[in-house]
Amino acid sequence: MDASFDAQRDADAGPDAAPDPTPGPAANAPAFEILAPQSQRLPLVLASPHSGNIYSAAFLASSRLDARALRKSEDCFVDEIFAFAPGFGVPLIRALFPRAYLDVNREAYELDPEMFADPLPAYVNTRSPRVAAGLGTIARVVANGEDIYKGKLRFAEALDRVGRCYTPYHTALRDLVDATRDAFGHALLVDCHSMPSAGAAANGRGAGQGGGRSGGRGASQPDIVLGDCYGNACAAAVIDAAEDFLRGLGYAVSRNNPYAGGYTTRHYGRPRQGIHALQIEIARDLYMDETALSRLPYLDVLARHMTELVDTLGLLPPDGLGPR
């Protein structure tokens, strides 16, 4: 949908570094991209809502942080890890705007009133835990807790971002999920994320590993967290199969701790209606240098494992996906 996205990636300074966040396209540019297969082979939809790295000049000008600091909120390379999807017969939707600009894994209007110069309408959710943490639909802080904006915003800015980015993204995602359920009788939405690796060495844990990370299952922090909203967003067979497969590869896997699933998992996961949603969080130090924002060699291994995971989930028998 947006050729400038790939052009920006290719123009990066080196083959292993994350694309630099140069000022993005005009305000009317597409907010997302769908990587669609020629024909869908499996009843899955993949989503990467936080890997966008196109920063508009206006957003950069409004921020008190430089572009490098803003990127701490990105799920760098997650769209690349799952880029196999269309060739494997599975659609992938990825946001092009950054998470620091707008977070589509929130309600449309989870906003901190202290960020705005004018009063917020009554329908705005100002009391959610995400807002309290500074990480609402329009975040107040980046991942390390630094404030993003130089001054207060107008509510008209929130309306504009939701209208241009949030609503089109979720309309497209809903269409993909519904079309998949109509075609296969059920659908599984996998919402793909990465998580910071607290206390990890800057050069990562995954480099050179043949499967899983250094430390394996006994490590204090999991490699991968699977979230199904404590059993509410997908059939037990889905998360059971995902955990068994990943543990079999040597990954340390946690369920719903510390991430049980965000808005996407809660909103789309309707097992009784044949729609299952599973959130996957991957520790960044498995596949990237979190300081330099550069790829590690293990990224290719991880991508292959995610391909095999998707195939495993896509081949689950439908009669085993009933409600718990």
Side-chain angles (χ1 to χ4, degrees):
M1 291 180 61
D2 183 14
S4 66
F5 180 83
D6 293 319
Q8 285 180 319
R9 294 179 69 95
D10 295 341
D12 182 53
D16 296 324
D20 287 331
T22 53
N28 61 353
F32 62 90
E33 181 177 29
I34 296 175
L35 306 180
Q38 290 186 344
S39 61
Q40 190 167 348
R41 186 177 72 87
L42 297 174
L44 273 80
V45 174
L46 304 186
S48 181
H50 292 160
S51 55
N53 64 354
I54 296 180
Y55 291 74
S56 71
F59 177 50
L60 292 174
S62 70
S63 175
R64 56 181 295 273
L65 303 177
D66 61 26
R68 197 75 172 176
L70 289 170
R71 303 206 64 202
K72 297 299 183 181
S73 292
E74 274 183 35
D75 285 351
C76 289
F77 307 119
V78 166
D79 56 340
E80 184 174 325
I81 292 170
F82 290 90
F84 65 83
F88 211 63
V90 174
L92 167 67
I93 182 172
R94 58 182 180 183
L96 302 182
F97 53 87
R99 180 187 188 185
Y101 181 74
L102 185 82
D103 192 342
V104 290
N105 200 26
R106 299 286 185 265
E107 298 172 22
Y109 294 100
E110 288 187 68
L111 301 175
D112 183 348
E114 296 301 317
M115 293 176 60
F116 293 87
D118 45 344
L120 301 182
Y123 61 80
V124 173
N125 182 352
T126 62
R127 298 180 179 273
S128 79
R130 280 78 59 187
V131 170
L135 298 172
T137 315
I138 295 179
R140 175 174 52 81
V141 300
V142 289
N144 63 2
E146 291 186 272
D147 286 339
I148 294 175
Y149 294 98
K150 295 175 182 176
K152 291 184 180 292
L153 305 176
R154 306 293 298 188
F155 182 63
E157 175 67 20
L159 289 172
D160 179 65
R161 295 186 194 187
V162 169
R164 286 189 297 104
C165 299
Y166 187 99
T167 300
Y169 175 89
H170 277 289
T171 298
L173 180 56
R174 170 57 67 189
D175 288 345
L176 286 172
V177 170
D178 287 348
T180 299
R181 181 183 57 178
D182 292 346
F184 294 91
H186 69 281
L188 170 57
L189 169 60
V190 181
D191 204 38
C192 307
H193 298 264
S194 67
M195 56 187 178
S197 308
N203 64 350
R205 296 171 296 177
Q209 297 296 317
R213 72 172 190 198
S214 175
R217 300 180 191 185
S220 59
Q221 182 184 5
D223 300 316
I224 295 173
V225 177
L226 301 174
D228 68 349
C229 299
Y230 303 102
N232 293 307
C234 66
V238 174
I239 194 169
D240 289 348
E243 181 175 7
D244 290 348
F245 177 81
L246 292 167
R247 286 191 181 277
L249 292 173
Y251 292 104
V253 182
S254 173
R255 286 195 192 193
N256 295 308
N257 183 23
Y259 306 106
Y263 171 81
T264 298
T265 313
R266 298 192 310 271
H267 179 72
Y268 289 90
R270 297 289 185 269
R272 293 183 181 276
Q273 300 173 21
I275 299 176
H276 307 266
L278 180 69
Q279 179 175 284
I280 181 168
E281 296 268 1
I282 303 172
R284 291 175 189 158
D285 62 349
L286 278 174
Y287 66 89
M288 66 177 285
D289 182 320
E290 295 177 82
T291 301
L293 302 180
S294 60
R295 300 170 184 83
L296 294 177
Y298 194 73
L299 188 148
D300 293 334
V301 178
L302 182 62
R304 186 176 73 247
H305 289 166
M306 293 302 106
T307 305
E308 296 167 356
L309 172 63
V310 165
D311 193 42
T312 297
L313 297 178
L315 297 177
L316 289 173
D319 56 4
L321 300 182
R324 299 173 187 236

